[in-house]
Amino acid sequence: MPSLSPPVAKSVTVCGYPLSIFFIVVNEFCERFSYYGMKAVLVLYFRYFLRWDDDLAITIYHTFVALCYLTPILGAIVADSWLGKFKTIVYLSIVYTLGQVVMAISAIHDITDANKDGTPDNMTFHVALSMVGLILIALGTGGIKPCVAAFGGDQFNEHQEKQRSTFFSIFYLSINAGSLLSTIITPILRAQECGIYSQQKCYPLAFGVPAALMVVALIVFIVGSRMYTKVAPKGNIMLEVCKCIWYAVKNRFRNRSSSIPKREHWMDWADEKYEKLLIAQIKMVLKVLFLYIPLPMFWTLFDQQGSRWTLQATTMDGDFVSLCLFKLFLMSTVNPILILGFVPIVDSVIYPLIAKCGLNFTYVAEFQNRPNGDIAVTNGHTEFDIQTVNGKCTYSIAVGFGSAYTVIIPDTFTIADCVANEDIGPNVVHMAWQIPQYFLMTMGEVVFSVTGLEFSYSQAPSNMKSVLQAGWLFTVAVGNIIVLIVAEVAQLPDQWAEYVLFAALLIFVCVVFSIMAYFYTYTDPAEVEARFAELEPEGKDNDRKRRSLELHDRKESLEEENQRKSRSSSEASSHHEAPADKATNM
């Protein structure tokens, strides 16, 4: 294994692009295959292996996704302040891989199936093991999320802005390709039957393949070690940022008197203690984070593809595996076209027209039928044998997807006396109706995510790239938390009403975001940092001392004024009390 110490990078380019980004893109493809592949069958694992109900399965699913997008903050702090991006990616990828392996082991039903009936006898063991695996995965995938994209951006020089922009599109293509293939392949792997004592749905294989892809991702990333440009961490920047913000708030609160002149920005109240460069960098970050406030609603809808939409497919008519193959055929053609073709069109034509609006469109209204059991329901004619004292006969019945029947066998048995009562009717809405919503959601994702990645990197100060990437990913976590809140608080009787509610909320948020984006002004972090870098240290110190003296003089003047007012008030009070005393003596 190559050394993890940061050697001098070998500058190798291909067609104007650093060769090192090849390893980063391949790593991202394998990692996204691993994550989305596991996530594609996760809610089904909860529902049909751990035997949880729909509400608990969806709650744990979105809690896990939210955790995956909360941990990027931790990863960003570690990368920017301690280990650097490269080592952070390597170490947390190891944690990530262990989590995937633990998850695959937790799905082996034979481990606790002592009576060999196909059902685990100690479900607590499987639940505990799967929770450990999910926590490790959340720490791993979340920790590397803000680092990989920013690390890829670090491979380009200042004059390669166009190539860097194209890289983010290719980077996102690798994300999309990995997630697309995995969300098709792992459900097919799950549909296979495997086991030592009894044949059951093969969750170990569905989780094991993503674990293997994560091992490949780690190896590929390390192989490219000597080609990378590795930016050294610049100290505990997050702690410094928090201290600076807290000082500015505290100082502003102390000097809230109307007699004290206001400053251009509330962060300027930290000028007495902190450098102007740091204050300017924090201003840039806060401005972008403010613009992120409406964004979680998009992820609220987007991430329901792995929960509500998956469970919805179990209530619809059609072969689930056939639907997966159909989506593979459709999306493997449409997605690359959208990303490689639509993104340049958006950049050169559409964005110039609506640059100040930032509108996003999506679609989510869905059909909802009654719930049923596992996806592998049989369609067509089903036959089963009935054994009697007089021999065996075969009973045949026509069934549809999602249907359930009770066959009544009378005591005086003849095959003609058997009656099948329909308990649950077959699903009548076909799975193909989900295709338009996946298609339109992908269009929205292309416009939304590619732009967000590049925007977060371009607007971030040089020492806060990963921090702002973490802020972008934090919006995903908030979006999943919103799903949990709405699902619990709304308590809508019909599922379709919940989908319409989410769609209406997104429309409202789009309007709000359009207004916010209209007033946003782009900043060039490199230009701002260069301007402050020209200041001499003595000049900065003198300026800080001058501001401190001015503030001290204003405080003294304010105290003197208050003392004069206090003396005047005391004299006036004494003057009014004297006549009263004379009247009393009389």
Side-chain angles (χ1 to χ4, degrees):
M1 180 182 294
S3 173
L4 299 184
S5 60
V8 179
K10 297 180 180 179
S11 180
V12 181
T13 60
V14 177
C15 299
Y17 292 87
L19 183 60
S20 57
I21 66 170
F22 167 80
F23 298 95
I24 297 173
V25 169
V26 174
N27 165 269
E28 186 66 12
F29 168 82
C30 295
E31 188 275 326
R32 290 292 84 187
F33 186 105
S34 178
Y35 174 74
Y36 283 105
M38 179 276 302
K39 200 174 75 163
V41 296
L42 185 59
V43 74
L44 300 178
Y45 171 75
F46 291 157
R47 182 67 180 84
Y48 302 119
F49 186 92
L50 299 182
R51 306 293 179 181
W52 293 346
D53 59 32
D54 286 1
D55 290 336
L56 179 58
I58 288 174
T59 297
I60 299 301
Y61 173 87
H62 284 286
T63 301
F64 165 69
V65 176
L67 184 61
C68 288
Y69 288 92
L70 285 173
T71 49
I73 298 176
L74 175 63
I77 295 174
V78 171
D80 283 346
S81 307
W82 181 26
L83 294 178
K85 299 183 187 72
F86 175 76
K87 289 185 178 180
T88 300
I89 295 171
V90 171
Y91 295 153
L92 290 181
S93 291
I94 295 174
V95 175
Y96 191 171
T97 304
L98 291 175
Q100 291 283 29
V101 172
V102 171
M103 198 67 195
I105 295 174
S106 73
I108 302 176
H109 65 274
D110 292 310
I111 294 178
T112 62
D113 186 12
N115 57 8
K116 304 178 182 180
D117 63 350
T119 301
D121 298 325
N122 187 357
M123 194 62 75
T124 303
F125 171 82
H126 293 275
V127 171
L129 207 59
S130 61
M131 293 301 103
V132 171
L134 290 177
I135 291 173
L136 292 176
I137 292 171
L139 288 174
T141 187
I144 68 175
K145 279 181 189 296
C147 303
V148 180
F151 186 67
D154 289 343
Q155 307 308 306
F156 297 88
N157 297 321
E158 291 298 328
H159 65 277
Q160 294 179 303
E161 292 183 4
K162 183 177 180 181
Q163 289 90 338
R164 186 174 61 198
S165 178
T166 305
F167 160 75
F168 282 115
S169 295
I170 298 174
F171 183 82
Y172 191 71
L173 173 60
S174 68
I175 294 175
N176 215 284
S179 64
L180 170 67
L181 293 176
S182 63
T183 52
I184 300 303
I185 292 174
T186 51
I188 296 176
L189 296 176
R190 170 203 167 272
Q192 309 304 310
E193 293 187 349
C194 62
I196 300 174
Y197 306 123
S198 61
Q199 298 294 303
Q200 302 295 329
K201 296 299 178 186
C202 203
Y203 288 101
L205 181 61
F207 291 144
V209 171
L213 263 292
M214 194 57 222
V215 173
V216 174
L218 177 59
I219 294 174
V220 169
F221 185 75
I222 294 177
V223 166
S225 173
R226 297 189 179 279
M227 297 184 186
Y228 298 140
T229 298
K230 301 170 185 175
V231 179
K234 301 182 179 180
N236 197 338
I237 187 65
M238 180 61 76
L239 180 60
E240 194 72 10
V241 167
C242 293
K243 287 182 178 180
C244 184
I245 292 175
W246 172 246
Y247 182 84
V249 173
K250 184 172 62 174
N251 197 26
R252 178 66 183 93
F253 181 78
R254 289 174 177 173
N255 298 279
R256 61 186 183 275
S257 173
S258 57
S259 62
I260 299 178
K262 295 183 179 180
R263 300 184 183 180
E264 184 179 355
H265 191 279
W266 63 270
M267 275 302 304
D268 291 333
W269 289 96
D271 191 40
E272 284 79 13
K273 185 175 181 181
Y274 293 92
E275 295 181 355
K276 288 187 176 181
L277 174 58
L278 177 63
I279 295 173
Q281 291 172 328
I282 295 176
K283 287 180 183 179
M284 289 186 279
V285 170
L286 293 177
K287 187 170 71 168
V288 176
L289 291 179
F290 176 75
L291 196 64
Y292 285 172
I293 291 176
L295 304 188
M297 189 53 63
F298 174 84
W299 301 114
T300 296
L301 274 70
F302 182 83
D303 278 333
Q304 291 190 60
Q305 294 178 91
S307 57
R308 289 293 188 191
W309 290 17
T310 300
L311 291 178
Q312 181 196 46
T314 69
T315 68
M316 304 176 78
D317 183 28
D319 185 349
F320 189 76
V321 175
S322 297
L323 177 66
C324 289
L325 294 175
F326 181 46
K327 287 198 286 187
L328 174 61
F329 168 76
L330 177 69
M331 303 312 290
S332 63
T333 302
V334 172
N335 249 25
I337 293 176
L338 285 175
I339 294 174
L340 296 179
F342 190 56
V343 169
I345 294 175
V346 169
D347 287 339
S348 59
V349 179
I350 298 179
Y351 280 165
L353 298 178
I354 59 172
K356 295 184 179 181
C357 297
L359 297 177
N360 294 301
F361 300 95
T362 190
Y363 167 90
V364 79
E366 308 178 20
F367 295 93
Q368 182 68 26
N369 202 352
R370 287 171 288 182
N372 65 334
D374 202 349
I375 288 178
V377 293
T378 306
N379 187 45
H381 285 273
T382 296
E383 295 182 351
F384 53 90
D385 296 330
I386 301 176
Q387 184 72 43
T388 68
V389 294
N390 298 324
K392 183 176 69 173
C393 59
T394 301
Y395 183 77
S396 178
I397 183 174
V399 297
F401 286 106
S403 59
Y405 299 85
T406 300
V407 178
I408 301 174
I409 304 175
D411 294 335
T412 58
F413 173 77
T414 64
I415 196 68
D417 294 333
C418 292
V419 179
N421 293 329
E422 184 179 80
D423 299 323
I424 300 177
N427 302 333
V428 295
V429 180
H430 199 275
M431 288 181 178
W433 280 104
Q434 284 194 326
I435 300 300
Q437 62 199 47
Y438 278 100
F439 179 85
L440 294 174
M441 183 65 81
T442 300
M443 293 181 63
E445 182 191 9
V446 168
V447 177
F448 188 82
S449 294
V450 176
T451 306
L453 284 172
E454 183 180 356
F455 176 80
S456 298
Y457 188 90
S458 66
Q459 295 297 286
S462 60
N463 59 341
M464 301 183 192
K465 300 291 186 183
S466 296
V467 172
L468 204 51
Q469 289 287 327
W472 166 259
L473 296 170
F474 181 74
T475 64
V476 184
V478 177
N480 282 270
I481 294 173
I482 292 174
V483 175
L484 300 176
I485 294 175
V486 172
E488 293 297 325
V489 175
Q491 295 293 324
L492 299 175
D494 298 312
Q495 188 60 54
W496 66 265
E498 183 177 299
Y499 293 131
V500 173
L501 173 62
F502 281 125
L505 289 174
L506 182 59
I507 292 174
F508 170 75
V509 165
C510 282
V511 175
V512 173
F513 180 74
S514 300
I515 297 173
M516 295 172 64
Y518 179 82
F519 292 100
Y520 182 85
T521 55
Y522 276 84
T523 304
D524 185 352
E527 180 181 340
V528 173
E529 291 171 347
R531 186 170 66 248
F532 282 98
E534 294 176 355
L535 297 175
E536 294 294 332
E538 296 82 3
K540 292 188 288 185
D541 292 339
N542 292 336
D543 186 63
R544 188 179 296 112
K545 291 178 181 178
R546 179 184 57 80
R547 296 291 297 271
S548 298
L549 290 174
E550 290 178 355
L551 183 62
H552 183 266
D553 292 341
R554 286 197 296 269
K555 286 182 178 179
E556 288 186 345
S557 299
L558 183 61
E559 290 176 359
E560 291 176 358
E561 183 178 352
N562 290 335
Q563 290 176 359
R564 286 197 302 270
K565 289 181 179 180
S566 177
R567 287 195 298 268
S568 300
S569 177
S570 299
E571 293 174 357
S573 176
S574 300
H575 178 73
H576 287 297
E577 287 175 358
D581 291 340
K582 291 180 181 179
T584 302
N585 294 332
M586 290 175 65

